[in-house]
Amino acid sequence: MKAFLGMGLLGSNFVRAMIKQGEKVQVWNRTVSKAQELEKEGAKAFVHAADAVKGATEIHLALKDDAAVDEVLKAAEPGLTPGAMIIDHTTTSKEGAINRTRAWKEKGFTYQHAPVFMGPVNALESTGYMLISGDEAVIATLTPSLSKITGKLINFGPEVGKAAAMKLVGNAFLVCLTASLKDTLTLSNSLDVSLDELLTLFSMWNPGTLISGRLQRMTGADHSKPSWELNMARKDTQLFLDATQQAGNQLVLMPAIAALMDEFIKKGFGNHDWTVIGK
């Protein structure tokens, strides 16, 4: 028997996937109706979290944040079966994951953080990525079960909290990528470049392939042999700013990047590779 606490878009589709795989799942949600909607698909809904976890050997969570996880687990605690394993898919702080792992172990339970790079469709189709780290014996025990509900289970080793850290780093990249694409679209509009033309460019020239090399160059010790000088990158950045200003538009990230470039140029790095700004 499994229990799932948190019937948002992600949690509800995890439950649907589990039911399709033949699992019996007890569910709870703060808004009771969201849990009850899954009864027609085979889940059993409960009003109280403590009732939802009774008899379950695996308790999954997909909630908002650290505070929500702590609050819901406290409410569920009276109903937990001895030896039950708590698997938390919530994106939380690293410290929160570490503290909960220790605290629940002291209470005689296993808490395993397993955040995901998955949307609702991924949860329904058991695709996408799930991250995990910590006690290798616990991971070995959970791997067969967790592998059924994700496309790829990525083990980041024995450090408790490492999976939480990796999820936050990945989300930071996604946030910056989206803001970067916003600036790209703004500049495109300012220069009368259509979306179709932009998509054509990226279909033929994929900047995603540059990420690994760019990270290595940014973190390298020597930037004195440039492939693109900082002075030249700053010149182009000003062209971005000028074009959007002339069109009456405004960029989000570029002004801050230009200011950072200016700082490094003042420090004497103008003739260095422009990735020196990542130091």
Short mmCIF file of all heavy atoms in Angstrom, two decimals, residues 72-122:
data_model
loop_
_atom_site.label_atom_id
_atom_site.label_comp_id
_atom_site.label_asym_id
_atom_site.label_seq_id
_atom_site.Cartn_x
_atom_site.Cartn_y
_atom_site.Cartn_z
N VAL A 72 2.65 19.05 7.00
CA VAL A 72 1.88 17.88 6.59
C VAL A 72 2.42 16.62 7.24
O VAL A 72 1.65 15.75 7.69
CB VAL A 72 1.86 17.76 5.05
CG1 VAL A 72 1.25 16.43 4.62
CG2 VAL A 72 1.08 18.92 4.45
N LEU A 73 3.74 16.48 7.33
CA LEU A 73 4.31 15.29 7.97
C LEU A 73 3.98 15.25 9.46
O LEU A 73 3.76 14.17 10.02
CB LEU A 73 5.82 15.25 7.74
CG LEU A 73 6.27 14.83 6.34
CD1 LEU A 73 7.79 14.85 6.24
CD2 LEU A 73 5.75 13.44 5.99
N LYS A 74 3.95 16.40 10.09
CA LYS A 74 3.57 16.45 11.51
C LYS A 74 2.14 15.97 11.68
O LYS A 74 1.82 15.21 12.62
CB LYS A 74 3.73 17.87 12.05
CG LYS A 74 3.39 18.00 13.53
CD LYS A 74 3.60 19.42 14.02
CE LYS A 74 3.26 19.54 15.51
NZ LYS A 74 3.46 20.95 16.01
N ALA A 75 1.26 16.40 10.77
CA ALA A 75 -0.14 15.98 10.84
C ALA A 75 -0.29 14.49 10.54
O ALA A 75 -1.16 13.82 11.09
CB ALA A 75 -0.97 16.79 9.85
N ALA A 76 0.57 13.96 9.67
CA ALA A 76 0.48 12.55 9.27
C ALA A 76 1.12 11.61 10.27
O ALA A 76 0.77 10.41 10.31
CB ALA A 76 1.14 12.37 7.90
N GLU A 77 2.01 12.11 11.08
CA GLU A 77 2.83 11.27 11.97
C GLU A 77 2.04 10.27 12.81
O GLU A 77 2.44 9.10 12.91
CB GLU A 77 3.69 12.15 12.87
CG GLU A 77 4.67 11.37 13.72
CD GLU A 77 5.62 12.26 14.50
OE1 GLU A 77 5.54 13.50 14.36
OE2 GLU A 77 6.46 11.72 15.24
N PRO A 78 0.92 10.66 13.40
CA PRO A 78 0.20 9.69 14.24
C PRO A 78 -0.26 8.45 13.49
O PRO A 78 -0.49 7.39 14.10
CB PRO A 78 -1.00 10.49 14.75
CG PRO A 78 -0.55 11.92 14.70
CD PRO A 78 0.30 11.99 13.48
N GLY A 79 -0.43 8.53 12.18
CA GLY A 79 -0.92 7.40 11.41
C GLY A 79 0.16 6.58 10.74
O GLY A 79 -0.15 5.57 10.09
N LEU A 80 1.42 6.97 10.88
CA LEU A 80 2.49 6.28 10.17
C LEU A 80 2.70 4.86 10.69
O LEU A 80 2.71 4.60 11.90
CB LEU A 80 3.81 7.06 10.32
CG LEU A 80 3.91 8.38 9.57
CD1 LEU A 80 5.22 9.10 9.93
CD2 LEU A 80 3.84 8.17 8.06
N THR A 81 2.87 3.94 9.76
CA THR A 81 3.17 2.55 10.09
C THR A 81 4.64 2.44 10.46
O THR A 81 5.50 3.02 9.78
CB THR A 81 2.88 1.65 8.88
OG1 THR A 81 1.50 1.76 8.54
CG2 THR A 81 3.22 0.20 9.18
N PRO A 82 5.00 1.73 11.52
CA PRO A 82 6.41 1.55 11.88
C PRO A 82 7.22 1.05 10.69
O PRO A 82 6.82 0.12 10.00
CB PRO A 82 6.36 0.51 13.01
CG PRO A 82 5.01 0.72 13.64
CD PRO A 82 4.09 1.05 12.49
N GLY A 83 8.35 1.71 10.46
CA GLY A 83 9.22 1.32 9.35
C GLY A 83 8.83 1.91 8.01
O GLY A 83 9.48 1.63 7.00
N ALA A 84 7.79 2.74 7.97
CA ALA A 84 7.35 3.34 6.70
C ALA A 84 8.43 4.24 6.14
O ALA A 84 9.20 4.87 6.88
CB ALA A 84 6.07 4.13 6.91
N MET A 85 8.49 4.32 4.81
CA MET A 85 9.48 5.15 4.12
C MET A 85 8.79 6.37 3.54
O MET A 85 7.80 6.24 2.80
CB MET A 85 10.19 4.34 3.03
CG MET A 85 10.79 3.05 3.53
SD MET A 85 11.80 2.18 2.30
CE MET A 85 13.36 3.02 2.49
N ILE A 86 9.30 7.53 3.88
CA ILE A 86 8.74 8.81 3.41
C ILE A 86 9.56 9.29 2.24
O ILE A 86 10.78 9.49 2.35
CB ILE A 86 8.76 9.85 4.54
CG1 ILE A 86 7.97 9.34 5.75
CG2 ILE A 86 8.21 11.19 4.05
CD1 ILE A 86 8.23 10.15 7.02
N ILE A 87 8.93 9.48 1.08
CA ILE A 87 9.64 9.90 -0.13
C ILE A 87 9.08 11.25 -0.56
O ILE A 87 7.92 11.36 -0.95
CB ILE A 87 9.47 8.87 -1.26
CG1 ILE A 87 9.96 7.50 -0.78
CG2 ILE A 87 10.24 9.28 -2.49
CD1 ILE A 87 9.15 6.35 -1.27
N ASP A 88 9.93 12.26 -0.48
CA ASP A 88 9.49 13.65 -0.69
C ASP A 88 9.98 14.15 -2.05
O ASP A 88 11.18 14.29 -2.28
CB ASP A 88 10.04 14.52 0.44
CG ASP A 88 9.56 15.95 0.37
OD1 ASP A 88 8.66 16.24 -0.45
OD2 ASP A 88 10.09 16.78 1.14
N HIS A 89 9.03 14.45 -2.94
CA HIS A 89 9.37 14.96 -4.28
C HIS A 89 9.32 16.49 -4.34
O HIS A 89 9.49 17.06 -5.43
CB HIS A 89 8.39 14.37 -5.31
CG HIS A 89 8.35 12.87 -5.30
ND1 HIS A 89 9.42 12.09 -5.68
CD2 HIS A 89 7.36 12.00 -4.94
CE1 HIS A 89 9.10 10.81 -5.56
NE2 HIS A 89 7.86 10.73 -5.11
N THR A 90 9.09 17.14 -3.22
CA THR A 90 8.98 18.60 -3.18
C THR A 90 10.34 19.25 -3.41
O THR A 90 11.36 18.77 -2.93
CB THR A 90 8.45 19.04 -1.80
OG1 THR A 90 7.27 18.29 -1.49
CG2 THR A 90 8.16 20.53 -1.77
N THR A 91 10.35 20.36 -4.14
CA THR A 91 11.57 21.15 -4.26
C THR A 91 11.72 21.96 -2.97
O THR A 91 10.89 22.81 -2.65
CB THR A 91 11.50 22.11 -5.45
OG1 THR A 91 11.37 21.35 -6.66
CG2 THR A 91 12.76 22.98 -5.54
N THR A 92 12.78 21.66 -2.21
CA THR A 92 12.99 22.29 -0.91
C THR A 92 14.42 22.81 -0.80
O THR A 92 15.24 22.62 -1.69
CB THR A 92 12.75 21.30 0.24
OG1 THR A 92 13.79 20.31 0.24
CG2 THR A 92 11.40 20.60 0.11
N SER A 93 14.72 23.41 0.33
CA SER A 93 16.09 23.82 0.61
C SER A 93 16.95 22.60 0.89
O SER A 93 16.44 21.54 1.30
CB SER A 93 16.13 24.76 1.81
OG SER A 93 15.77 24.06 3.00
N LYS A 94 18.24 22.73 0.70
CA LYS A 94 19.17 21.65 1.03
C LYS A 94 19.14 21.38 2.53
O LYS A 94 19.11 20.21 2.96
CB LYS A 94 20.58 22.04 0.58
CG LYS A 94 21.65 21.00 0.88
CD LYS A 94 23.02 21.45 0.38
CE LYS A 94 24.09 20.41 0.70
NZ LYS A 94 25.43 20.84 0.19
N GLU A 95 19.13 22.46 3.31
CA GLU A 95 19.13 22.31 4.76
C GLU A 95 17.88 21.58 5.24
O GLU A 95 17.94 20.75 6.16
CB GLU A 95 19.23 23.68 5.44
CG GLU A 95 20.53 24.40 5.23
CD GLU A 95 20.64 25.05 3.84
OE1 GLU A 95 19.62 25.10 3.12
OE2 GLU A 95 21.76 25.49 3.49
N GLY A 96 16.75 21.91 4.62
CA GLY A 96 15.51 21.24 5.00
C GLY A 96 15.56 19.75 4.77
O GLY A 96 15.13 18.95 5.61
N ALA A 97 16.10 19.34 3.64
CA ALA A 97 16.22 17.92 3.32
C ALA A 97 17.14 17.22 4.31
O ALA A 97 16.85 16.10 4.77
CB ALA A 97 16.73 17.74 1.89
N ILE A 98 18.25 17.87 4.65
CA ILE A 98 19.19 17.29 5.60
C ILE A 98 18.55 17.14 6.98
O ILE A 98 18.64 16.09 7.63
CB ILE A 98 20.46 18.17 5.70
CG1 ILE A 98 21.24 18.11 4.39
CG2 ILE A 98 21.35 17.72 6.86
CD1 ILE A 98 22.38 19.11 4.30
N ASN A 99 17.89 18.20 7.44
CA ASN A 99 17.29 18.19 8.77
C ASN A 99 16.17 17.15 8.88
O ASN A 99 16.06 16.45 9.90
CB ASN A 99 16.74 19.58 9.11
CG ASN A 99 17.85 20.61 9.30
OD1 ASN A 99 18.99 20.25 9.56
ND2 ASN A 99 17.52 21.87 9.15
N ARG A 100 15.35 17.05 7.83
CA ARG A 100 14.26 16.06 7.88
C ARG A 100 14.79 14.63 7.84
O ARG A 100 14.25 13.74 8.51
CB ARG A 100 13.28 16.30 6.73
CG ARG A 100 12.25 17.39 7.03
CD ARG A 100 11.22 17.52 5.94
NE ARG A 100 11.78 18.09 4.73
CZ ARG A 100 11.93 19.40 4.53
NH1 ARG A 100 11.57 20.26 5.46
NH2 ARG A 100 12.43 19.85 3.40
N THR A 101 15.84 14.40 7.07
CA THR A 101 16.43 13.06 7.02
C THR A 101 16.89 12.64 8.41
O THR A 101 16.63 11.52 8.86
CB THR A 101 17.63 13.03 6.05
OG1 THR A 101 17.19 13.42 4.75
CG2 THR A 101 18.23 11.63 5.98
N ARG A 102 17.56 13.55 9.11
CA ARG A 102 18.06 13.25 10.46
C ARG A 102 16.92 13.10 11.47
O ARG A 102 16.88 12.14 12.24
CB ARG A 102 19.01 14.36 10.92
CG ARG A 102 19.59 14.12 12.31
CD ARG A 102 20.52 15.24 12.75
NE ARG A 102 19.80 16.50 12.85
CZ ARG A 102 19.98 17.52 12.02
NH1 ARG A 102 20.83 17.41 11.01
NH2 ARG A 102 19.29 18.64 12.17
N ALA A 103 15.98 14.06 11.43
CA ALA A 103 14.90 14.07 12.41
C ALA A 103 14.01 12.83 12.32
O ALA A 103 13.64 12.23 13.34
CB ALA A 103 14.05 15.33 12.24
N TRP A 104 13.68 12.43 11.09
CA TRP A 104 12.80 11.27 10.95
C TRP A 104 13.53 9.96 11.22
O TRP A 104 12.91 8.99 11.67
CB TRP A 104 12.15 11.27 9.57
CG TRP A 104 11.05 12.29 9.53
CD1 TRP A 104 11.11 13.55 9.05
CD2 TRP A 104 9.73 12.12 10.05
NE1 TRP A 104 9.91 14.22 9.24
CE2 TRP A 104 9.05 13.37 9.85
CE3 TRP A 104 9.06 11.08 10.68
CZ2 TRP A 104 7.74 13.56 10.26
CZ3 TRP A 104 7.74 11.27 11.08
CH2 TRP A 104 7.09 12.49 10.87
N LYS A 105 14.82 9.93 11.01
CA LYS A 105 15.60 8.75 11.38
C LYS A 105 15.59 8.57 12.88
O LYS A 105 15.48 7.44 13.40
CB LYS A 105 17.03 8.87 10.86
CG LYS A 105 17.89 7.63 11.12
CD LYS A 105 19.27 7.78 10.50
CE LYS A 105 20.09 6.51 10.72
NZ LYS A 105 21.44 6.62 10.09
N GLU A 106 15.69 9.67 13.61
CA GLU A 106 15.64 9.62 15.07
C GLU A 106 14.29 9.12 15.57
O GLU A 106 14.19 8.55 16.66
CB GLU A 106 15.94 11.00 15.65
CG GLU A 106 17.39 11.45 15.43
CD GLU A 106 17.63 12.90 15.83
OE1 GLU A 106 16.65 13.59 16.18
OE2 GLU A 106 18.80 13.33 15.80
N LYS A 107 13.24 9.34 14.76
CA LYS A 107 11.91 8.87 15.12
C LYS A 107 11.65 7.44 14.66
O LYS A 107 10.58 6.88 14.93
CB LYS A 107 10.86 9.79 14.50
CG LYS A 107 10.86 11.21 15.06
CD LYS A 107 9.79 12.06 14.39
CE LYS A 107 9.77 13.47 14.96
NZ LYS A 107 8.70 14.31 14.36
N GLY A 108 12.62 6.85 13.96
CA GLY A 108 12.47 5.47 13.52
C GLY A 108 11.92 5.31 12.12
O GLY A 108 11.50 4.21 11.74
N PHE A 109 11.93 6.39 11.33
CA PHE A 109 11.41 6.34 9.97
C PHE A 109 12.49 6.76 8.97
O PHE A 109 13.43 7.47 9.32
CB PHE A 109 10.19 7.25 9.81
CG PHE A 109 9.03 6.87 10.68
CD1 PHE A 109 8.84 7.48 11.92
CD2 PHE A 109 8.14 5.89 10.27
CE1 PHE A 109 7.77 7.12 12.72
CE2 PHE A 109 7.07 5.53 11.07
CZ PHE A 109 6.88 6.15 12.30
N THR A 110 12.33 6.33 7.74
CA THR A 110 13.23 6.74 6.66
C THR A 110 12.60 7.88 5.88
O THR A 110 11.48 7.75 5.39
CB THR A 110 13.50 5.56 5.71
OG1 THR A 110 14.16 4.52 6.43
CG2 THR A 110 14.37 6.01 4.54
N TYR A 111 13.32 8.99 5.81
CA TYR A 111 12.91 10.11 4.95
C TYR A 111 13.89 10.20 3.81
O TYR A 111 15.11 10.29 4.02
CB TYR A 111 12.90 11.43 5.74
CG TYR A 111 12.71 12.66 4.87
CD1 TYR A 111 11.45 13.17 4.61
CD2 TYR A 111 13.81 13.30 4.29
CE1 TYR A 111 11.28 14.30 3.81
CE2 TYR A 111 13.65 14.41 3.48
CZ TYR A 111 12.38 14.91 3.25
OH TYR A 111 12.21 16.02 2.45
N GLN A 112 13.40 10.12 2.59
CA GLN A 112 14.25 10.21 1.40
C GLN A 112 13.77 11.33 0.50
O GLN A 112 12.64 11.31 0.03
CB GLN A 112 14.24 8.89 0.63
CG GLN A 112 15.08 8.91 -0.64
CD GLN A 112 16.54 9.15 -0.35
OE1 GLN A 112 17.17 8.41 0.41
NE2 GLN A 112 17.11 10.19 -0.95
N HIS A 113 14.64 12.30 0.27
CA HIS A 113 14.29 13.38 -0.64
C HIS A 113 14.55 12.92 -2.07
O HIS A 113 15.62 12.39 -2.38
CB HIS A 113 15.13 14.62 -0.32
CG HIS A 113 14.61 15.86 -0.97
ND1 HIS A 113 15.44 16.81 -1.53
CD2 HIS A 113 13.35 16.32 -1.15
CE1 HIS A 113 14.71 17.79 -2.02
NE2 HIS A 113 13.44 17.52 -1.80
N ALA A 114 13.58 13.11 -2.94
CA ALA A 114 13.69 12.69 -4.34
C ALA A 114 13.01 13.71 -5.24
O ALA A 114 11.96 13.43 -5.82
CB ALA A 114 13.09 11.30 -4.53
N PRO A 115 13.58 14.92 -5.36
CA PRO A 115 12.98 15.96 -6.20
C PRO A 115 13.05 15.57 -7.67
O PRO A 115 13.81 14.67 -8.05
CB PRO A 115 13.84 17.19 -5.90
CG PRO A 115 15.17 16.62 -5.52
CD PRO A 115 14.86 15.35 -4.78
N VAL A 116 12.25 16.26 -8.48
CA VAL A 116 12.13 15.84 -9.88
C VAL A 116 12.24 17.01 -10.85
O VAL A 116 11.92 18.15 -10.52
CB VAL A 116 10.78 15.12 -10.12
CG1 VAL A 116 10.68 13.88 -9.26
CG2 VAL A 116 9.60 16.06 -9.85
N PHE A 117 12.73 16.71 -12.04
CA PHE A 117 12.57 17.57 -13.20
C PHE A 117 11.49 16.91 -14.05
O PHE A 117 11.76 16.18 -15.00
CB PHE A 117 13.88 17.70 -13.98
CG PHE A 117 14.92 18.53 -13.28
CD1 PHE A 117 16.10 17.95 -12.84
CD2 PHE A 117 14.72 19.88 -13.05
CE1 PHE A 117 17.06 18.70 -12.19
CE2 PHE A 117 15.68 20.64 -12.39
CZ PHE A 117 16.85 20.06 -11.96
N MET A 118 10.25 17.14 -13.67
CA MET A 118 9.12 16.51 -14.31
C MET A 118 7.94 17.47 -14.28
O MET A 118 7.72 18.15 -13.27
CB MET A 118 8.71 15.21 -13.59
CG MET A 118 9.79 14.13 -13.59
SD MET A 118 9.42 12.72 -12.49
CE MET A 118 8.05 11.96 -13.34
N GLY A 119 7.19 17.52 -15.37
CA GLY A 119 5.93 18.24 -15.40
C GLY A 119 4.80 17.25 -15.22
O GLY A 119 5.02 16.03 -15.11
N PRO A 120 3.56 17.74 -15.20
CA PRO A 120 2.41 16.84 -15.03
C PRO A 120 2.36 15.71 -16.06
O PRO A 120 2.03 14.57 -15.72
CB PRO A 120 1.22 17.79 -15.17
CG PRO A 120 1.74 19.12 -14.73
CD PRO A 120 3.16 19.16 -15.21
N VAL A 121 2.69 16.01 -17.32
CA VAL A 121 2.66 14.97 -18.35
C VAL A 121 3.71 13.91 -18.06
O VAL A 121 3.46 12.70 -18.21
CB VAL A 121 2.88 15.58 -19.75
CG1 VAL A 121 3.03 14.49 -20.80
CG2 VAL A 121 1.72 16.51 -20.11
N ASN A 122 4.90 14.34 -17.61
CA ASN A 122 5.95 13.38 -17.25
C ASN A 122 5.49 12.46 -16.12
O ASN A 122 5.73 11.25 -16.15
CB ASN A 122 7.22 14.11 -16.81
CG ASN A 122 7.85 14.93 -17.89
OD1 ASN A 122 7.99 16.15 -17.75
ND2 ASN A 122 8.23 14.31 -18.99
#
